Amino acid sequence: MFGIINFETFLVAGVLLILTPGTDTMYILGRSISQGKRAGLMSALGISTGVLMHCIFAVLGLSILLAKSALAFEVVKYLGAGYLIFLGLKSLVTKTKTSYELDDPNSVRSFRKIYVSGVLMNVLNPKVALFFLAFIPQFVDPAYAQSSLTFSVLGLIFLLLGTVWCVLLSFFASKMSNSIRANYKFKAWLDRITGIMFIGLGIKLALARK
């Protein structure tokens, strides 16, 4: 159906890939542990939106540019790395409030920023674009006339699986750390650890090769 081949293999491989810890997982964990459930949820939704955009880019053929052009790959890579390092430094220098509240209902603007950060972090990771170009075509029947439709269906299934995992991850991570985050001194240390983690992820992305 829809020109999909070896669908069962796609599901198994997709789930295993999603469960493998990576930049997205660490970002969601960092937000969830240091800032709470809603922040973790917004970061998960931001990551998922970024994956959706990569899927659209791949269908439109824009991701091929990253695969073909070394310059385009390097530009996007360093933009993503710079953004992650910026987030890390910001987390390190921001002073923790002594009256910290979990899931502050007045933090709509803050949650919007977290969502946008998740989108940008994922979109500016060229490795995700290359993943879509390398992984999904293996399950597209080359004889099927509407290959773009097949690619879209597989991409959306992968997105759905990934979104479910990211949301569950954010909930569990925030739940486990509620008592720690309630103490502002622990929160200060969590902010520093999160900042260092983001900087490390940025450096790792900067050193990445095709």
Side-chain angles (χ1 to χ4, degrees):
M1 184 181 293
F2 299 116
I4 300 174
I5 57 176
N6 300 320
F7 183 63
E8 294 79 7
T9 303
F10 169 79
L11 287 178
V12 173
V15 169
L16 291 176
L17 287 169
I18 289 168
L19 294 179
T20 302
T23 303
D24 293 347
T25 299
M26 300 306 296
Y27 178 76
I28 294 170
L29 285 175
R31 290 295 193 187
S32 301
I33 293 173
S34 64
Q35 294 177 273
K37 180 174 64 177
R38 293 185 185 179
L41 178 60
M42 294 309 294
S43 65
L45 294 178
I47 293 294
S48 295
T49 303
V51 173
L52 175 61
M53 294 178 69
H54 274 295
C55 183
I56 294 173
F57 293 157
V59 172
L60 295 177
L62 297 178
S63 294
I64 297 178
L65 177 63
L66 291 177
K68 299 282 187 180
S69 171
L71 177 61
F73 181 88
E74 293 294 314
V75 168
V76 174
K77 180 184 73 172
Y78 285 122
L79 283 174
Y83 187 68
L84 279 169
I85 293 173
F86 165 75
L87 290 177
L89 292 174
K90 184 178 179 181
S91 184
L92 287 176
V93 302
T94 300
K95 187 175 181 180
T96 302
K97 298 179 181 179
T98 57
S99 59
Y100 177 73
E101 295 180 8
L102 298 179
D103 295 331
D104 184 356
N106 298 318
S107 300
V108 175
R109 184 177 179 183
S110 176
F111 293 141
R112 187 183 300 118
K113 288 182 179 179
I114 292 172
Y115 170 79
V116 173
S117 293
V119 175
L120 290 176
M121 193 203 71
N122 191 274
V123 169
L124 293 177
N125 187 347
K127 303 289 281 187
V128 180
L130 297 183
F131 161 78
F132 269 91
L133 291 177
F135 176 67
I136 293 183
Q138 299 178 54
F139 306 96
V140 178
D141 186 352
Y144 190 68
Q146 314 237 343
S147 57
S148 60
L149 174 61
T150 309
F151 199 104
S152 300
V153 171
L154 290 172
L156 290 175
I157 293 173
F158 185 83
L159 170 64
L160 177 61
L161 293 172
T163 301
V164 171
W165 167 244
C166 288
V167 171
L168 289 175
L169 185 67
S170 67
F171 280 138
F172 283 120
S174 61
K175 189 73 173 177
M176 292 174 62
S177 60
N178 277 344
S179 58
I180 297 177
R181 286 185 286 105
N183 185 314
Y184 80 92
K185 291 183 179 179
F186 282 109
K187 170 65 168 56
W189 279 105
L190 282 173
D191 285 342
R192 294 189 183 98
I193 293 172
T194 301
I196 293 172
M197 182 181 68
F198 285 167
I199 292 173
L201 291 173
I203 294 173
K204 180 181 178 182
L205 178 58
L207 298 176
R209 294 285 182 260
K210 280 190 179 182

